[in-house]
Amino acid sequence: MSTEIQETTRWHGNGKTHGARSGGSGVIVHRLDIETTKRVEIRDLTTLVQDMVRSADVDAGLVTLSSMHTTTAIFINEPQTALLDDIEQLLERLAPRGEEWKHNDPRYSDCDRQNADAHLRAIVLGSSVTLQVAEGDLVMGQWQRILMAELDGPRTRQLVLQILAAR
Amino acid sequence: MSTEIQETTRWHGNGKTHGARSGGSGVIVHRLDIETTKRVEIRDLTTLVQDMVRSADVDAGLVTLSSMHTTTAIFINEPQTALLDDIEQLLERLAPRGEEWKHNDPRYSDCDRQNADAHLRAIVLGSSVTLQVAEGDLVMGQWQRILMAELDGPRTRQLVLQILAAR
Amino acid sequence: MSTEIQETTRWHGNGKTHGARSGGSGVIVHRLDIETTKRVEIRDLTTLVQDMVRSADVDAGLVTLSSMHTTTAIFINEPQTALLDDIEQLLERLAPRGEEWKHNDPRYSDCDRQNADAHLRAIVLGSSVTLQVAEGDLVMGQWQRILMAELDGPRTRQLVLQILAAR
């Protein structure tokens, strides 16, 4: 369940990144590369995001964490070990891997990953979360964590995080 | 279906709250404590949020309403009485309470609330909504309402609402 | 699968729209009217949104695209033809049209559209997406597209898009 940043790039879209860091304004963007290890896997990214927010020196604003993929998802819940198994069970219940999906059928589709279930599960879970920042920190409840669902791994997955400061 | 604010706190993270109120800029945050009365219950928070937006004196921007819990959800739809029953029926269909979830099984989990269904339903519904503000008001369709789903009550639930003004 | 703007209105909520266009600040709002042609239909709005973002002259910020309806949804995935059929199949699996929903039953409901399935499917898919803007363009992955699901058409559907520039 550990999380790693394989690469972090700070984009300088409008030249205001420095201002954002020192004065609580502007926008900061991080690109995260996450290496997953299984076909279906749920990763806790909270500490990673929290560290980025804290080091951003932004008093208040919004944080948006977006998956760049159609077979991963980002959502909020509690990564208790037994519950993570239940989430995988829920996904299998909602969009079973073995169902006769057209996306997996060479008569209808040129996709060779046979990953219809992964797309459908990603749609149900959602591709991004938008969280609040207040007093320089993420606004989250005691048990809430930011989770990434790998649904068709293992692969290297790219996420993009934007911290938008209020003025 | 009535909604009440049990407590509203205006946070002063960056000292710009006053500016936000009087000049249409900055960020305003409200903490909402909502007392629910049943295990599963859907509450309409639209009027509450609308009042907060209107009193914020913000011309344009975004409003983010976030649950601080892993067994409540925030979503948009129409709280017609018959449909509310259907939504509960949908949730039971997607994540049945009586299923043999590991989170409810003392062999795998130390959670004594037996609330796996509530976590799973919250994941499907989503933990927050982000809405647009234009001309000082929420941008919503005629039948759209902001709904909170209590999924493991009754309890006092905390939500946080942020109004982020555009500049 | 083609998309059309039937009408686009630029709102001038705070008189800063011009600044937004020319200086990379403020907020720009577009109202989109989309005519759908079937009861259930998934439309790719990416090019439309991309064009609006590019012409907005905003370096960095957020884009929120919101449905104004309780029986349409906005989500992110890949509109491969076979997969679109699978998404409709998933929706039928999660909230079957023929189920005995109370919203469709005259004993409990005055709704004459018999569209409980459409409401429930919209709740699962979500009513809006919030995307990042960086370097003047949408931040999206190679296969990601912005999709609108018509769930109770054909009708003319209204969406509202807000581009919020960071400062």
Side-chain angles (χ1 to χ4, degrees):
Chain A
M1 260 332 106
S2 71
T3 58
E4 299 154 283
I5 312 181
Q6 301 297 330
E7 183 201 325
T8 301
T9 307
R10 196 173 282 261
W11 290 352
H12 296 270
N14 56 7
K16 287 179 182 162
T17 305
H18 178 70
R21 294 176 63 195
S22 62
S25 64
V27 63
I28 292 171
V29 179
H30 290 273
R31 188 184 298 221
L32 287 62
D33 286 343
I34 309 281
E35 281 187 30
T36 61
T37 60
K38 293 195 289 187
R39 181 165 196 271
V40 177
E41 180 183 4
I42 294 170
R43 299 277 286 266
D44 184 349
L45 304 181
T46 316
T47 305
L48 194 59
V49 174
Q50 234 159 20
D51 288 349
M52 289 176 173
V53 169
R54 287 171 185 166
S55 68
D57 192 22
V58 165
D59 282 324
L62 289 173
V63 173
T64 301
L65 178 63
S66 309
S67 160
M68 294 293 107
H69 304 276
T70 54
T71 55
T72 58
I74 313 283
F75 64 105
I76 305 291
N77 216 273
E78 180 185 353
Q80 189 233 26
T81 308
L83 186 61
L84 291 177
D85 286 343
D86 291 336
I87 295 171
E88 293 191 24
Q89 184 60 30
L90 173 77
L91 296 173
E92 175 62 22
R93 180 186 179 91
L94 301 183
R97 179 152 194 208
E99 189 85 357
E100 291 185 0
W101 305 111
K102 283 194 176 176
H103 182 67
N104 297 348
D105 185 333
R107 287 176 298 170
Y108 305 108
S109 171
D110 58 357
C111 173
D112 53 7
R113 291 193 66 93
Q114 306 278 312
N115 63 356
D117 63 307
H119 285 281
L120 300 173
R121 294 167 182 192
I123 290 171
V124 173
L125 294 177
S127 64
S128 72
V129 292
T130 296
L131 298 163
Q132 303 175 33
V133 177
E135 299 176 347
D137 212 344
L138 284 175
V139 178
M140 296 184 75
Q142 180 182 5
W143 302 105
Q144 288 186 309
R145 307 288 287 175
I146 304 168
L147 305 177
M148 179 187 93
E150 167 63 86
L151 300 164
D152 186 35
R155 292 204 248 180
T156 300
R157 297 302 201 164
Q158 187 175 88
L159 312 181
V160 183
L161 178 135
Q162 184 202 78
I163 305 169
L164 177 78
R167 287 302 296 276
Chain B
M1 257 338 102
S2 71
T3 56
E4 299 154 281
I5 313 179
Q6 301 298 330
E7 184 201 324
T8 301
T9 307
R10 196 173 282 262
W11 289 352
H12 297 270
N14 56 6
K16 287 178 183 161
T17 305
H18 178 70
R21 295 175 62 194
S22 62
S25 64
V27 64
I28 292 171
V29 179
H30 290 273
R31 188 185 298 220
L32 288 62
D33 286 343
I34 309 281
E35 281 187 31
T36 60
T37 60
K38 293 195 289 185
R39 183 168 194 271
V40 176
E41 180 183 4
I42 295 170
R43 299 277 287 266
D44 184 349
L45 305 182
T46 316
T47 305
L48 194 59
V49 174
Q50 234 158 20
D51 288 349
M52 289 175 172
V53 169
R54 287 171 185 166
S55 69
D57 192 22
V58 165
D59 282 324
L62 290 172
V63 172
T64 302
L65 178 63
S66 309
S67 160
M68 295 293 106
H69 304 275
T70 53
T71 56
T72 58
I74 313 283
F75 65 104
I76 304 291
N77 215 274
E78 180 186 353
Q80 189 231 28
T81 308
L83 186 62
L84 291 177
D85 285 343
D86 291 337
I87 295 171
E88 293 191 26
Q89 185 59 31
L90 173 77
L91 296 174
E92 175 62 24
R93 182 186 178 90
L94 302 182
R97 180 154 193 205
E99 189 86 356
E100 291 186 0
W101 305 111
K102 282 195 178 176
H103 182 67
N104 298 348
D105 186 334
R107 286 176 298 171
Y108 305 108
S109 171
D110 59 356
C111 173
D112 54 7
R113 291 193 67 93
Q114 306 277 312
N115 63 355
D117 64 306
H119 285 280
L120 300 173
R121 295 166 181 192
I123 290 170
V124 172
L125 295 177
S127 65
S128 72
V129 293
T130 296
L131 298 163
Q132 304 176 33
V133 177
E135 300 177 346
D137 212 343
L138 284 175
V139 179
M140 296 183 76
Q142 180 182 5
W143 303 105
Q144 289 185 311
R145 306 288 287 175
I146 304 168
L147 305 178
M148 179 188 93
E150 167 62 86
L151 300 164
D152 185 36
R155 290 204 250 181
T156 299
R157 298 301 202 164
Q158 187 175 86
L159 311 181
V160 183
L161 178 135
Q162 184 202 78
I163 305 168
L164 176 77
R167 286 305 295 276
Chain C
M1 263 330 106
S2 71
T3 57
E4 300 154 281
I5 314 180
Q6 301 298 331
E7 183 202 322
T8 301
T9 306
R10 198 173 280 262
W11 288 353
H12 296 270
N14 56 7
K16 287 179 182 161
T17 305
H18 178 70
R21 295 175 61 194
S22 62
S25 64
V27 64
I28 293 171
V29 179
H30 290 273
R31 188 185 297 220
L32 288 64
D33 285 344
I34 310 281
E35 281 187 31
T36 60
T37 61
K38 293 196 289 187
R39 182 166 195 271
V40 176
E41 179 183 4
I42 295 170
R43 298 278 287 266
D44 184 349
L45 304 182
T46 316
T47 305
L48 193 59
V49 174
Q50 234 159 19
D51 288 350
M52 289 176 173
V53 169
R54 286 171 185 167
S55 69
D57 191 22
V58 165
D59 282 325
L62 290 173
V63 172
T64 302
L65 178 64
S66 309
S67 160
M68 295 293 107
H69 305 276
T70 53
T71 56
T72 58
I74 313 282
F75 65 104
I76 305 290
N77 216 272
E78 180 185 353
Q80 190 232 26
T81 308
L83 186 60
L84 291 178
D85 285 344
D86 292 336
I87 294 171
E88 293 192 24
Q89 184 59 31
L90 172 77
L91 296 174
E92 175 62 23
R93 181 186 177 90
L94 301 183
R97 179 151 194 208
E99 189 85 357
E100 292 187 359
W101 305 111
K102 282 194 178 177
H103 183 66
N104 298 348
D105 186 333
R107 286 176 298 171
Y108 305 108
S109 171
D110 58 358
C111 173
D112 53 8
R113 291 193 66 93
Q114 306 278 313
N115 63 354
D117 63 307
H119 285 281
L120 300 174
R121 295 166 181 192
I123 289 170
V124 172
L125 295 176
S127 64
S128 72
V129 293
T130 295
L131 298 162
Q132 303 175 33
V133 177
E135 298 176 348
D137 212 344
L138 283 176
V139 179
M140 296 183 75
Q142 180 183 5
W143 303 105
Q144 288 186 310
R145 306 289 286 175
I146 304 168
L147 305 178
M148 178 187 93
E150 167 63 85
L151 300 164
D152 185 36
R155 290 203 249 181
T156 301
R157 297 301 202 163
Q158 186 176 88
L159 311 182
V160 182
L161 178 135
Q162 184 203 79
I163 305 169
L164 176 77
R167 288 302 297 277

